[in-house]
Amino acid sequence: MKLPRNKREMALFMAIVSITSVNIIAPLITFFELGFHFSVWLNVLRVIPFIWMSVIILVLVTYQPAKWLTSKIVSEGDSFRAFLCANTFASVFCMSIFLTVIGSWIGNRSISWDPLRLFFYKWPRNFTISLGVEALIAQPFARAILFNLHQKQEEKVAA
């Protein structure tokens, strides 16, 4: 009931999770780097569409590696919640590696070595923020919407 059942629902799920995540994670990470100021937030708003596009592309690129990593964490017979937690962890792990670098490039509007040089300093914080937002806000929100959608579909079928 809480998982996408077809491509249309998968697109809806991805849209909800990615839009929610980008609008929370990008400002938080930027605030922790540059300070909690209104001008910082306005600058983040200008680059969010570009970060969102890179997130969509990276979701598609990292889908198979995250699926493989999830299979190494959970095994046959594990609970649905264990699978969801492992899948969220694996997806965020893969995405955060790339977005720590790519997000900095987009935010700074230039490609430099700084995100690579400072990777092991910035990545743990970025991963933690991303995992928290994904596990506690974005994915539960998207799954609740899918659950409600599926309930309404089943009510129509039953009627």
PDB file of all heavy atoms in Angstrom, residues 35-60:
ATOM      1  N   GLY A  35      25.901  30.263   7.211  1.00  0.00           N
ATOM      2  CA  GLY A  35      25.172  30.983   8.257  1.00  0.00           C
ATOM      3  C   GLY A  35      23.686  31.069   7.944  1.00  0.00           C
ATOM      4  O   GLY A  35      23.277  31.019   6.795  1.00  0.00           O
ATOM      5  N   PHE A  36      22.909  31.224   8.996  1.00  0.00           N
ATOM      6  CA  PHE A  36      21.455  31.290   8.876  1.00  0.00           C
ATOM      7  C   PHE A  36      21.033  32.736   8.631  1.00  0.00           C
ATOM      8  O   PHE A  36      20.708  33.469   9.570  1.00  0.00           O
ATOM      9  CB  PHE A  36      20.801  30.734  10.144  1.00  0.00           C
ATOM     10  CG  PHE A  36      20.914  29.248  10.274  1.00  0.00           C
ATOM     11  CD1 PHE A  36      22.086  28.665  10.729  1.00  0.00           C
ATOM     12  CD2 PHE A  36      19.863  28.424   9.928  1.00  0.00           C
ATOM     13  CE1 PHE A  36      22.208  27.291  10.850  1.00  0.00           C
ATOM     14  CE2 PHE A  36      19.966  27.043  10.042  1.00  0.00           C
ATOM     15  CZ  PHE A  36      21.140  26.482  10.505  1.00  0.00           C
ATOM     16  N   HIS A  37      21.057  33.144   7.355  1.00  0.00           N
ATOM     17  CA  HIS A  37      20.697  34.507   6.972  1.00  0.00           C
ATOM     18  C   HIS A  37      19.693  34.460   5.831  1.00  0.00           C
ATOM     19  O   HIS A  37      19.705  33.543   5.001  1.00  0.00           O
ATOM     20  CB  HIS A  37      21.937  35.292   6.516  1.00  0.00           C
ATOM     21  CG  HIS A  37      23.022  35.331   7.534  1.00  0.00           C
ATOM     22  ND1 HIS A  37      22.930  36.063   8.699  1.00  0.00           N
ATOM     23  CD2 HIS A  37      24.228  34.709   7.583  1.00  0.00           C
ATOM     24  CE1 HIS A  37      24.036  35.894   9.408  1.00  0.00           C
ATOM     25  NE2 HIS A  37      24.835  35.080   8.747  1.00  0.00           N
ATOM     26  N   PHE A  38      18.847  35.468   5.784  1.00  0.00           N
ATOM     27  CA  PHE A  38      17.828  35.543   4.736  1.00  0.00           C
ATOM     28  C   PHE A  38      18.468  35.595   3.353  1.00  0.00           C
ATOM     29  O   PHE A  38      17.987  34.964   2.413  1.00  0.00           O
ATOM     30  CB  PHE A  38      16.931  36.764   4.969  1.00  0.00           C
ATOM     31  CG  PHE A  38      15.778  36.843   4.027  1.00  0.00           C
ATOM     32  CD1 PHE A  38      14.712  35.955   4.119  1.00  0.00           C
ATOM     33  CD2 PHE A  38      15.751  37.805   3.032  1.00  0.00           C
ATOM     34  CE1 PHE A  38      13.644  36.019   3.245  1.00  0.00           C
ATOM     35  CE2 PHE A  38      14.680  37.886   2.150  1.00  0.00           C
ATOM     36  CZ  PHE A  38      13.629  36.989   2.260  1.00  0.00           C
ATOM     37  N   SER A  39      19.559  36.318   3.206  1.00  0.00           N
ATOM     38  CA  SER A  39      20.228  36.439   1.903  1.00  0.00           C
ATOM     39  C   SER A  39      20.772  35.089   1.439  1.00  0.00           C
ATOM     40  O   SER A  39      20.765  34.787   0.243  1.00  0.00           O
ATOM     41  CB  SER A  39      21.349  37.474   1.958  1.00  0.00           C
ATOM     42  OG  SER A  39      22.325  37.092   2.915  1.00  0.00           O
ATOM     43  N   VAL A  40      21.225  34.261   2.371  1.00  0.00           N
ATOM     44  CA  VAL A  40      21.713  32.919   2.028  1.00  0.00           C
ATOM     45  C   VAL A  40      20.554  32.086   1.488  1.00  0.00           C
ATOM     46  O   VAL A  40      20.679  31.403   0.477  1.00  0.00           O
ATOM     47  CB  VAL A  40      22.365  32.238   3.257  1.00  0.00           C
ATOM     48  CG1 VAL A  40      22.685  30.778   2.976  1.00  0.00           C
ATOM     49  CG2 VAL A  40      23.612  32.990   3.689  1.00  0.00           C
ATOM     50  N   TRP A  41      19.410  32.181   2.153  1.00  0.00           N
ATOM     51  CA  TRP A  41      18.230  31.435   1.713  1.00  0.00           C
ATOM     52  C   TRP A  41      17.794  31.876   0.316  1.00  0.00           C
ATOM     53  O   TRP A  41      17.454  31.046  -0.523  1.00  0.00           O
ATOM     54  CB  TRP A  41      17.101  31.614   2.725  1.00  0.00           C
ATOM     55  CG  TRP A  41      15.865  30.867   2.368  1.00  0.00           C
ATOM     56  CD1 TRP A  41      15.698  29.514   2.342  1.00  0.00           C
ATOM     57  CD2 TRP A  41      14.624  31.428   1.977  1.00  0.00           C
ATOM     58  NE1 TRP A  41      14.409  29.202   1.965  1.00  0.00           N
ATOM     59  CE2 TRP A  41      13.734  30.369   1.737  1.00  0.00           C
ATOM     60  CE3 TRP A  41      14.169  32.736   1.814  1.00  0.00           C
ATOM     61  CZ2 TRP A  41      12.418  30.570   1.336  1.00  0.00           C
ATOM     62  CZ3 TRP A  41      12.863  32.934   1.430  1.00  0.00           C
ATOM     63  CH2 TRP A  41      12.004  31.867   1.186  1.00  0.00           C
ATOM     64  N   LEU A  42      17.816  33.180   0.047  1.00  0.00           N
ATOM     65  CA  LEU A  42      17.448  33.678  -1.286  1.00  0.00           C
ATOM     66  C   LEU A  42      18.392  33.142  -2.356  1.00  0.00           C
ATOM     67  O   LEU A  42      17.956  32.790  -3.459  1.00  0.00           O
ATOM     68  CB  LEU A  42      17.434  35.206  -1.308  1.00  0.00           C
ATOM     69  CG  LEU A  42      16.279  35.885  -0.576  1.00  0.00           C
ATOM     70  CD1 LEU A  42      16.442  37.396  -0.609  1.00  0.00           C
ATOM     71  CD2 LEU A  42      14.944  35.473  -1.171  1.00  0.00           C
ATOM     72  N   ASN A  43      19.687  33.084  -2.044  1.00  0.00           N
ATOM     73  CA  ASN A  43      20.652  32.535  -3.009  1.00  0.00           C
ATOM     74  C   ASN A  43      20.407  31.047  -3.244  1.00  0.00           C
ATOM     75  O   ASN A  43      20.570  30.557  -4.359  1.00  0.00           O
ATOM     76  CB  ASN A  43      22.082  32.780  -2.535  1.00  0.00           C
ATOM     77  CG  ASN A  43      22.493  34.217  -2.706  1.00  0.00           C
ATOM     78  OD1 ASN A  43      22.011  34.918  -3.581  1.00  0.00           O
ATOM     79  ND2 ASN A  43      23.377  34.681  -1.837  1.00  0.00           N
ATOM     80  N   VAL A  44      20.022  30.319  -2.206  1.00  0.00           N
ATOM     81  CA  VAL A  44      19.722  28.887  -2.360  1.00  0.00           C
ATOM     82  C   VAL A  44      18.512  28.705  -3.254  1.00  0.00           C
ATOM     83  O   VAL A  44      18.484  27.816  -4.113  1.00  0.00           O
ATOM     84  CB  VAL A  44      19.493  28.212  -0.988  1.00  0.00           C
ATOM     85  CG1 VAL A  44      18.986  26.797  -1.151  1.00  0.00           C
ATOM     86  CG2 VAL A  44      20.771  28.219  -0.176  1.00  0.00           C
ATOM     87  N   LEU A  45      17.503  29.545  -3.084  1.00  0.00           N
ATOM     88  CA  LEU A  45      16.293  29.431  -3.907  1.00  0.00           C
ATOM     89  C   LEU A  45      16.599  29.552  -5.401  1.00  0.00           C
ATOM     90  O   LEU A  45      15.934  28.923  -6.220  1.00  0.00           O
ATOM     91  CB  LEU A  45      15.269  30.496  -3.510  1.00  0.00           C
ATOM     92  CG  LEU A  45      14.545  30.276  -2.187  1.00  0.00           C
ATOM     93  CD1 LEU A  45      13.553  31.399  -1.932  1.00  0.00           C
ATOM     94  CD2 LEU A  45      13.836  28.933  -2.168  1.00  0.00           C
ATOM     95  N   ARG A  46      17.607  30.334  -5.723  1.00  0.00           N
ATOM     96  CA  ARG A  46      17.962  30.530  -7.141  1.00  0.00           C
ATOM     97  C   ARG A  46      18.564  29.271  -7.776  1.00  0.00           C
ATOM     98  O   ARG A  46      18.454  29.078  -8.976  1.00  0.00           O
ATOM     99  CB  ARG A  46      18.933  31.698  -7.274  1.00  0.00           C
ATOM    100  CG  ARG A  46      18.299  33.022  -6.974  1.00  0.00           C
ATOM    101  CD  ARG A  46      19.275  34.175  -7.204  1.00  0.00           C
ATOM    102  NE  ARG A  46      18.652  35.421  -6.806  1.00  0.00           N
ATOM    103  CZ  ARG A  46      19.060  36.182  -5.803  1.00  0.00           C
ATOM    104  NH1 ARG A  46      20.126  35.837  -5.103  1.00  0.00           N
ATOM    105  NH2 ARG A  46      18.442  37.291  -5.506  1.00  0.00           N
ATOM    106  N   VAL A  47      19.219  28.447  -6.976  1.00  0.00           N
ATOM    107  CA  VAL A  47      19.875  27.259  -7.543  1.00  0.00           C
ATOM    108  C   VAL A  47      19.112  25.964  -7.301  1.00  0.00           C
ATOM    109  O   VAL A  47      19.473  24.924  -7.850  1.00  0.00           O
ATOM    110  CB  VAL A  47      21.327  27.109  -7.019  1.00  0.00           C
ATOM    111  CG1 VAL A  47      22.182  28.284  -7.450  1.00  0.00           C
ATOM    112  CG2 VAL A  47      21.370  26.907  -5.531  1.00  0.00           C
ATOM    113  N   ILE A  48      18.049  26.002  -6.506  1.00  0.00           N
ATOM    114  CA  ILE A  48      17.293  24.787  -6.206  1.00  0.00           C
ATOM    115  C   ILE A  48      16.804  24.062  -7.462  1.00  0.00           C
ATOM    116  O   ILE A  48      16.887  22.835  -7.521  1.00  0.00           O
ATOM    117  CB  ILE A  48      16.154  25.066  -5.205  1.00  0.00           C
ATOM    118  CG1 ILE A  48      16.747  25.077  -3.791  1.00  0.00           C
ATOM    119  CG2 ILE A  48      15.036  24.043  -5.295  1.00  0.00           C
ATOM    120  CD1 ILE A  48      15.750  25.296  -2.689  1.00  0.00           C
ATOM    121  N   PRO A  49      16.293  24.756  -8.492  1.00  0.00           N
ATOM    122  CA  PRO A  49      15.862  24.000  -9.689  1.00  0.00           C
ATOM    123  C   PRO A  49      16.993  23.187 -10.331  1.00  0.00           C
ATOM    124  O   PRO A  49      16.765  22.068 -10.804  1.00  0.00           O
ATOM    125  CB  PRO A  49      15.370  25.089 -10.648  1.00  0.00           C
ATOM    126  CG  PRO A  49      15.004  26.231  -9.766  1.00  0.00           C
ATOM    127  CD  PRO A  49      15.955  26.170  -8.600  1.00  0.00           C
ATOM    128  N   PHE A  50      18.205  23.722 -10.321  1.00  0.00           N
ATOM    129  CA  PHE A  50      19.342  23.007 -10.900  1.00  0.00           C
ATOM    130  C   PHE A  50      19.757  21.823 -10.021  1.00  0.00           C
ATOM    131  O   PHE A  50      20.118  20.765 -10.524  1.00  0.00           O
ATOM    132  CB  PHE A  50      20.516  23.962 -11.127  1.00  0.00           C
ATOM    133  CG  PHE A  50      20.154  25.123 -12.005  1.00  0.00           C
ATOM    134  CD1 PHE A  50      19.957  26.376 -11.471  1.00  0.00           C
ATOM    135  CD2 PHE A  50      19.970  24.942 -13.369  1.00  0.00           C
ATOM    136  CE1 PHE A  50      19.601  27.452 -12.281  1.00  0.00           C
ATOM    137  CE2 PHE A  50      19.610  26.002 -14.189  1.00  0.00           C
ATOM    138  CZ  PHE A  50      19.427  27.262 -13.634  1.00  0.00           C
ATOM    139  N   ILE A  51      19.692  22.028  -8.706  1.00  0.00           N
ATOM    140  CA  ILE A  51      19.993  20.920  -7.795  1.00  0.00           C
ATOM    141  C   ILE A  51      18.935  19.838  -7.942  1.00  0.00           C
ATOM    142  O   ILE A  51      19.256  18.648  -7.957  1.00  0.00           O
ATOM    143  CB  ILE A  51      20.102  21.427  -6.331  1.00  0.00           C
ATOM    144  CG1 ILE A  51      21.316  22.357  -6.194  1.00  0.00           C
ATOM    145  CG2 ILE A  51      20.193  20.271  -5.357  1.00  0.00           C
ATOM    146  CD1 ILE A  51      21.431  23.051  -4.856  1.00  0.00           C
ATOM    147  N   TRP A  52      17.669  20.243  -8.076  1.00  0.00           N
ATOM    148  CA  TRP A  52      16.584  19.272  -8.234  1.00  0.00           C
ATOM    149  C   TRP A  52      16.793  18.425  -9.495  1.00  0.00           C
ATOM    150  O   TRP A  52      16.618  17.213  -9.462  1.00  0.00           O
ATOM    151  CB  TRP A  52      15.229  19.973  -8.260  1.00  0.00           C
ATOM    152  CG  TRP A  52      14.094  19.024  -8.409  1.00  0.00           C
ATOM    153  CD1 TRP A  52      13.621  18.159  -7.473  1.00  0.00           C
ATOM    154  CD2 TRP A  52      13.314  18.810  -9.582  1.00  0.00           C
ATOM    155  NE1 TRP A  52      12.580  17.430  -7.988  1.00  0.00           N
ATOM    156  CE2 TRP A  52      12.369  17.806  -9.278  1.00  0.00           C
ATOM    157  CE3 TRP A  52      13.309  19.377 -10.858  1.00  0.00           C
ATOM    158  CZ2 TRP A  52      11.435  17.360 -10.202  1.00  0.00           C
ATOM    159  CZ3 TRP A  52      12.366  18.934 -11.765  1.00  0.00           C
ATOM    160  CH2 TRP A  52      11.455  17.931 -11.438  1.00  0.00           C
ATOM    161  N   MET A  53      17.181  19.073 -10.595  1.00  0.00           N
ATOM    162  CA  MET A  53      17.429  18.310 -11.829  1.00  0.00           C
ATOM    163  C   MET A  53      18.569  17.313 -11.632  1.00  0.00           C
ATOM    164  O   MET A  53      18.487  16.176 -12.097  1.00  0.00           O
ATOM    165  CB  MET A  53      17.743  19.260 -12.996  1.00  0.00           C
ATOM    166  CG  MET A  53      16.529  19.991 -13.525  1.00  0.00           C
ATOM    167  SD  MET A  53      16.859  20.951 -15.008  1.00  0.00           S
ATOM    168  CE  MET A  53      17.760  22.330 -14.341  1.00  0.00           C
ATOM    169  N   SER A  54      19.623  17.733 -10.939  1.00  0.00           N
ATOM    170  CA  SER A  54      20.735  16.806 -10.701  1.00  0.00           C
ATOM    171  C   SER A  54      20.309  15.675  -9.778  1.00  0.00           C
ATOM    172  O   SER A  54      20.761  14.536  -9.941  1.00  0.00           O
ATOM    173  CB  SER A  54      21.957  17.543 -10.147  1.00  0.00           C
ATOM    174  OG  SER A  54      21.711  18.037  -8.864  1.00  0.00           O
ATOM    175  N   VAL A  55      19.416  15.945  -8.834  1.00  0.00           N
ATOM    176  CA  VAL A  55      18.910  14.893  -7.945  1.00  0.00           C
ATOM    177  C   VAL A  55      18.143  13.847  -8.742  1.00  0.00           C
ATOM    178  O   VAL A  55      18.338  12.640  -8.557  1.00  0.00           O
ATOM    179  CB  VAL A  55      18.029  15.492  -6.815  1.00  0.00           C
ATOM    180  CG1 VAL A  55      17.209  14.420  -6.122  1.00  0.00           C
ATOM    181  CG2 VAL A  55      18.892  16.233  -5.814  1.00  0.00           C
ATOM    182  N   ILE A  56      17.274  14.282  -9.628  1.00  0.00           N
ATOM    183  CA  ILE A  56      16.495  13.347 -10.457  1.00  0.00           C
ATOM    184  C   ILE A  56      17.433  12.473 -11.285  1.00  0.00           C
ATOM    185  O   ILE A  56      17.265  11.248 -11.344  1.00  0.00           O
ATOM    186  CB  ILE A  56      15.495  14.098 -11.366  1.00  0.00           C
ATOM    187  CG1 ILE A  56      14.426  14.779 -10.528  1.00  0.00           C
ATOM    188  CG2 ILE A  56      14.869  13.165 -12.384  1.00  0.00           C
ATOM    189  CD1 ILE A  56      13.556  13.840  -9.721  1.00  0.00           C
ATOM    190  N   ILE A  57      18.422  13.078 -11.899  1.00  0.00           N
ATOM    191  CA  ILE A  57      19.386  12.313 -12.707  1.00  0.00           C
ATOM    192  C   ILE A  57      20.143  11.322 -11.821  1.00  0.00           C
ATOM    193  O   ILE A  57      20.301  10.149 -12.177  1.00  0.00           O
ATOM    194  CB  ILE A  57      20.357  13.263 -13.441  1.00  0.00           C
ATOM    195  CG1 ILE A  57      19.594  14.049 -14.512  1.00  0.00           C
ATOM    196  CG2 ILE A  57      21.530  12.502 -14.048  1.00  0.00           C
ATOM    197  CD1 ILE A  57      20.348  15.233 -15.084  1.00  0.00           C
ATOM    198  N   LEU A  58      20.582  11.768 -10.644  1.00  0.00           N
ATOM    199  CA  LEU A  58      21.349  10.893  -9.758  1.00  0.00           C
ATOM    200  C   LEU A  58      20.500   9.773  -9.157  1.00  0.00           C
ATOM    201  O   LEU A  58      21.019   8.688  -8.901  1.00  0.00           O
ATOM    202  CB  LEU A  58      22.014  11.702  -8.649  1.00  0.00           C
ATOM    203  CG  LEU A  58      23.234  12.494  -9.099  1.00  0.00           C
ATOM    204  CD1 LEU A  58      23.708  13.417  -7.997  1.00  0.00           C
ATOM    205  CD2 LEU A  58      24.353  11.557  -9.526  1.00  0.00           C
ATOM    206  N   VAL A  59      19.213  10.019  -8.949  1.00  0.00           N
ATOM    207  CA  VAL A  59      18.331   8.943  -8.483  1.00  0.00           C
ATOM    208  C   VAL A  59      18.344   7.814  -9.497  1.00  0.00           C
ATOM    209  O   VAL A  59      18.453   6.637  -9.146  1.00  0.00           O
ATOM    210  CB  VAL A  59      16.891   9.456  -8.247  1.00  0.00           C
ATOM    211  CG1 VAL A  59      15.907   8.310  -8.140  1.00  0.00           C
ATOM    212  CG2 VAL A  59      16.832  10.311  -6.994  1.00  0.00           C
ATOM    213  N   LEU A  60      18.242   8.176 -10.763  1.00  0.00           N
ATOM    214  CA  LEU A  60      18.239   7.164 -11.826  1.00  0.00           C
ATOM    215  C   LEU A  60      19.600   6.483 -11.965  1.00  0.00           C
ATOM    216  O   LEU A  60      19.674   5.277 -12.187  1.00  0.00           O
ATOM    217  CB  LEU A  60      17.803   7.798 -13.148  1.00  0.00           C
ATOM    218  CG  LEU A  60      16.393   8.411 -13.134  1.00  0.00           C
ATOM    219  CD1 LEU A  60      16.128   9.169 -14.428  1.00  0.00           C
ATOM    220  CD2 LEU A  60      15.329   7.355 -12.881  1.00  0.00           C
TER     221      LEU A  60
END
